Amino acid sequence: MLSFKPLLCISAFALTLPAFAQSTPPDFARCLDGLQPAARVAGVSEASFRRFTAGLTPDMGVIEKLNFQPEFRTPIWDYLSGLVDDERVQQGQTLLKQHAEVLARVQQRYGVDPATVVAVWGVESNFGQTLGKYPLLQALGTLSCFGRRQSYFQGELYAALRILQAGHIAPERLVGSWAGAFGHTQFMPSTFERLAVDFDGDGKRDLMDNTSDALASTAHFLAKAGWQTGRPWGFEVKLPGGFSTADEGRRSKRPMGEWMARGVRRVDGSPLTSALGPAGLMTPAGPKGPAFLVFRNFDAIYSYNAAESYGLAIAHLSDRLRGADPFTTPWPTDDPGLSRAERRELQGLLILRGHDIGEVDGMLGDKSRAAIRIEQARFGHEVNGRGGQKILRALRAG
Ligand code: CA
């Protein structure tokens, strides 16, 4: 989790990495052997190490993922339109009802409300439906032997081995993201060890197959990250004309009285109250887009992923789950993002036009983007491979 989420890390450290030397034939088995003594010091018995790493082969695809450099920065409205769409809101509301009893007990123990916990669940793993497909030991073993940050990944590898050694999760079930995040909560192994909890009391902390453990672990994470019970994460605000956003930032919290004096109001026009306490101003798409005042609880959500766009997605989804509307101020673009349903529709239209884009999955990957480029050129749009409302409308029209 944290800075090694697949979708997040791409822009975070894309500029600093050296090219991976593909020409060196990797001696994976020798590297793993070399890690065994350190693993033993880290609490993995030699027998466990041999058992769980027997026959392990590297997957150099994860090094390509580590080194992937995006062609352009994904706009925040694309993240949000895919992560917070009607489909996810409806599914989340159904799950809130379905798991109401467990969520109430989770709230009682950790002080985090059901909508927030379910919103994290929805953004992290699509409510447990997208857990990742990489065998974790293979991915972490590869990252421990090749590429950048090997020592970081070695620590995560040892943690994964300790989790298996303790029997929390069956070895064949330990799959996740290419970077090692796994389960409903998408915890890294070291985060699992610190914060995963056995909420149903069966002796196992199972974030792969046990919803109670997963929901409680999410709430435990937020509680440890400083969650303040009963307080909001923040809310959308309206800035007066000519407002300077120079001191914008989640971290630069100021007394509410200061925002009131500067003419900031709730987005429905109602005034702020000083009882709300200090808040930071966030304008993730600049002064012309939606603006938010955020409190300490936004920081707790932020720490789950170390990305403001994801933090905002979780925060907004939690509001939508409580019945709130989408943001009032539109994003500053003439080409808004697509929901997952619209992404699937776009993919269907690309297939109808003869493009081979693989399966219709609502994820606009390399093949979909290549097809979008061709269609953008045909319609005389800017050619960037991005799937937005503009190209969807053009393809619908024929
Ligand atoms: Ca359990």
Side-chain angles (χ1 to χ4, degrees):
M1 190 180 47
L2 303 175
S3 58
F4 280 94
K5 305 280 298 188
L7 285 167
L8 297 173
C9 61
I10 47 178
S11 53
F13 48 67
L15 297 176
T16 54
L17 40 109
F20 173 68
Q22 289 286 1
S23 56
T24 315
D27 192 348
F28 188 58
R30 193 168 57 196
C31 169
L32 279 183
D33 260 356
L35 297 179
Q36 189 272 321
R40 185 160 43 81
V41 172
V44 182
S45 75
E46 184 169 355
S48 292
F49 188 92
R50 299 285 175 218
R51 178 182 158 212
F52 295 125
T53 63
L56 206 61
T57 53
D59 173 6
M60 299 315 280
V62 302
I63 303 297
E64 280 171 37
K65 293 272 188 191
L66 183 69
N67 290 348
F68 175 70
Q69 302 201 23
E71 289 163 62
F72 61 86
R73 225 182 138 77
T74 304
I76 185 163
W77 45 86
D78 280 350
Y79 278 125
L80 281 161
S81 57
L83 286 170
V84 189
D85 58 12
D86 290 345
E87 225 175 324
R88 210 179 304 262
V89 171
Q90 282 155 18
Q91 206 178 353
Q93 287 175 336
T94 302
L95 290 165
L96 272 171
K97 289 193 193 105
Q98 202 176 315
H99 299 285
E101 186 269 329
V102 167
L103 287 162
R105 283 193 289 122
V106 164
Q107 180 170 24
Q108 203 169 21
R109 176 140 6 142
Y110 300 106
V112 185
D113 62 284
T116 299
V117 172
V118 169
V120 173
W121 191 23
V123 168
E124 288 301 317
S125 65
N126 192 21
F127 310 113
Q129 294 164 108
T130 310
L131 299 177
K133 59 180 183 347
Y134 290 85
L136 223 63
L137 292 186
Q138 182 182 41
L140 289 172
T142 307
L143 291 161
S144 295
C145 288
F146 311 107
R148 299 169 294 112
R149 299 206 62 182
Q150 290 176 22
S151 64
Y152 165 78
F153 286 113
Q154 285 162 15
E156 295 299 334
L157 175 66
Y158 305 152
L161 289 165
R162 286 192 300 265
I163 292 166
L164 293 177
Q165 182 175 260
H168 292 295
I169 294 166
E172 67 277 8
R173 286 296 293 137
L174 196 60
V175 294
S177 79
W178 65 265
F182 69 98
H184 289 245
T185 57
Q186 293 288 291
F187 280 177
M188 289 299 288
S190 61
T191 309
F192 176 103
E193 291 196 304
R194 274 190 304 120
L195 297 170
V197 293
D198 170 23
F199 200 64
D200 69 345
D202 71 347
K204 292 178 183 175
R205 298 189 276 163
D206 182 0
L207 302 189
M208 292 301 296
D209 296 306
N210 188 302
T211 309
S212 298
D213 288 1
L215 295 174
S217 298
T218 297
H220 188 215
F221 181 102
L222 292 171
K224 289 286 180 197
W227 186 265
Q228 296 177 327
T229 303
R231 311 264 310 162
W233 63 267
F235 42 77
E236 190 182 353
V237 292
K238 201 170 164 48
L239 307 177
F243 187 92
S244 164
T245 54
D247 52 0
E248 185 259 12
R250 174 177 63 84
R251 285 200 196 88
S252 24
K253 298 214 174 24
R254 290 159 189 286
M256 195 54 63
E258 199 174 309
W259 299 119
M260 290 159 72
R262 291 172 65 186
V264 178
R265 299 178 82 81
R266 291 241 189 198
V267 82
D268 63 3
S270 65
L272 306 170
T273 58
S274 52
L276 287 162
L281 176 69
M282 259 178 37
T283 52
K288 290 203 173 81
F292 307 91
L293 283 180
V294 298
F295 302 98
R296 183 68 196 82
N297 281 353
F298 186 85
D299 298 332
I301 294 172
Y302 169 89
S303 69
Y304 208 100
N305 260 324
E308 282 181 4
S309 51
Y310 277 76
L312 194 59
I314 291 168
H316 186 41
L317 180 58
S318 74
D319 281 350
R320 295 285 312 273
L321 292 176
R322 296 180 194 105
D325 290 327
F327 297 136
T328 301
T329 306
W331 295 107
T333 173
D334 62 353
D335 188 13
L338 302 176
S339 68
R340 286 170 299 161
E342 288 168 329
R343 287 173 201 196
R344 292 193 296 269
E345 183 189 353
L346 173 62
Q347 288 179 315
L349 290 166
L350 291 169
I351 288 171
L352 279 179
R353 296 209 56 84
H355 297 287
D356 169 24
I357 56 139
E359 62 176 309
V360 173
D361 57 4
M363 320 247 271
L364 302 179
D366 291 344
K367 284 180 171 178
S368 292
R369 286 201 297 272
I372 290 168
R373 274 191 203 93
I374 293 168
E375 294 299 327
Q376 284 173 325
R378 199 169 65 84
F379 287 114
H381 297 178
E382 185 195 340
V383 178
N384 57 18
R386 175 179 165 260
Q389 294 290 345
K390 221 180 237 181
I391 191 67
L392 177 61
R393 277 198 301 267
L395 285 167
R396 273 176 185 159

